[in-house]
Amino acid sequence: MKVTKSQSAENRQGILDAAARLYRERGLTGVGVADITRDAGLTHGGLYRHFENKDALVREACARAFDWSIAPLDGMDDSDKEVPTKLAAKVASYLSPQHRDHPGEGCPAAALAVDAARAGSELSEVFAHGIERNIQRFARVIEGLEQGNPTPESRARATHMLATMVGGLVLARATVAANPALSDNILATLREHLTPPTEAPAPKTRKSRSGVATHGSARSKAKGK
């Protein structure tokens, strides 16, 4: 039976989705063509009707993974939140046990960066493009921009935060099987240090001898008189 163009396109997308997930779960060397086609519900030979070779599939699947991971940065329904709250939500989501425990549904940089570094220039180009897009979009979140180019200062902060988050997630995944408490602590520590405060703490008050509450600064001034 002849496959229609729409069915062929659907099959191709199914292969990409399966490969993007499996590569993040098991690494580039831990997944075979048969694993991918079986997950997509297709035959082994069907893959090569859509991709020139496995390297071509790897590149497209990794690019697809970056598309998926970027989406939450743009798609979260937080239009009514202040910038620090939006940023805190994204940091907390990235550095969460859920993200740590489901690499196949998460950030490709944390899951595949080491593999990409060993795979040569063509895959490195895919990762460079994907990471650049992540930095640019995260910098917009930091600056509160919907579109346009963020400032160099926001880009620098985004680069620092994303590199820290990726590294922290890698360490959390590497330690969770042997020492879950350490893994959880890595995530919690980075969430605390990277999350901006949402509001200034209220000033402390003390009661004067007359029973009237006074701010510490006012009391200090009174002493100085």
Side-chain angles (χ1 to χ4, degrees):
M1 184 176 178
K2 188 175 181 180
V3 178
T4 64
K5 286 185 178 180
S6 61
Q7 183 62 55
S8 178
E10 186 177 331
N11 290 345
R12 189 178 195 280
Q13 190 60 54
I15 293 171
L16 278 176
D17 290 343
R21 178 173 52 77
L22 290 173
Y23 285 143
R24 281 175 286 176
E25 285 179 356
R26 307 179 195 174
L28 297 182
T29 59
V31 181
V33 170
D35 298 316
I36 295 168
T37 52
R38 182 168 56 249
D39 191 274
L42 300 171
T43 62
H44 187 139
L47 184 143
Y48 295 106
R49 288 196 291 270
H50 301 284
F51 302 94
E52 181 181 357
N53 50 44
K54 185 178 178 181
D55 288 342
L57 171 62
V58 167
R59 290 192 296 273
E60 286 202 49
C62 288
R64 169 66 174 156
F66 271 109
D67 286 342
W68 187 97
S69 68
I70 290 170
L73 294 179
D74 295 331
M76 290 181 66
D77 185 15
D78 55 6
S79 57
D80 60 335
K81 295 179 182 178
E82 297 295 330
V83 169
T85 306
K86 291 181 182 180
L87 186 57
K90 297 180 194 310
V91 170
S93 177
Y94 192 98
L95 294 170
S96 66
Q98 291 80 7
H99 190 192
R100 175 196 63 196
D101 297 341
H102 296 88
E105 301 172 4
C107 175
L112 294 170
V114 174
D115 285 356
R118 295 169 176 162
S121 60
E122 290 185 336
L123 188 57
S124 178
E125 184 176 354
V126 172
F127 266 72
H129 181 65
I131 291 169
E132 167 62 29
R133 291 173 65 193
N134 267 325
I135 290 172
Q136 189 79 347
R137 294 189 181 194
F138 203 65
R140 289 195 193 109
V141 173
I142 289 172
E143 203 164 321
L145 297 175
E146 293 295 331
Q147 298 292 333
N149 293 321
T151 63
E153 292 77 14
S154 293
R155 273 190 56 90
R157 186 181 174 196
T159 301
H160 172 264
M161 290 184 71
L162 284 171
T164 303
M165 288 158 62
V166 169
L169 188 61
V170 170
L171 292 180
R173 285 176 176 165
T175 56
V176 67
N179 194 335
L182 172 61
S183 178
D184 288 342
N185 181 256
I186 290 169
L187 296 178
T189 299
L190 291 183
R191 286 197 303 269
E192 180 181 351
H193 282 272
L194 293 177
T195 300
T198 55
E199 60 181 10
K204 294 182 179 180
T205 60
R206 298 177 181 175
K207 285 188 177 181
S208 67
R209 292 179 180 177
S210 62
V212 178
T214 60
H215 292 295
S217 57
R219 188 177 177 86
S220 298
K221 289 179 181 178
K223 283 185 176 181
K225 287 183 179 180

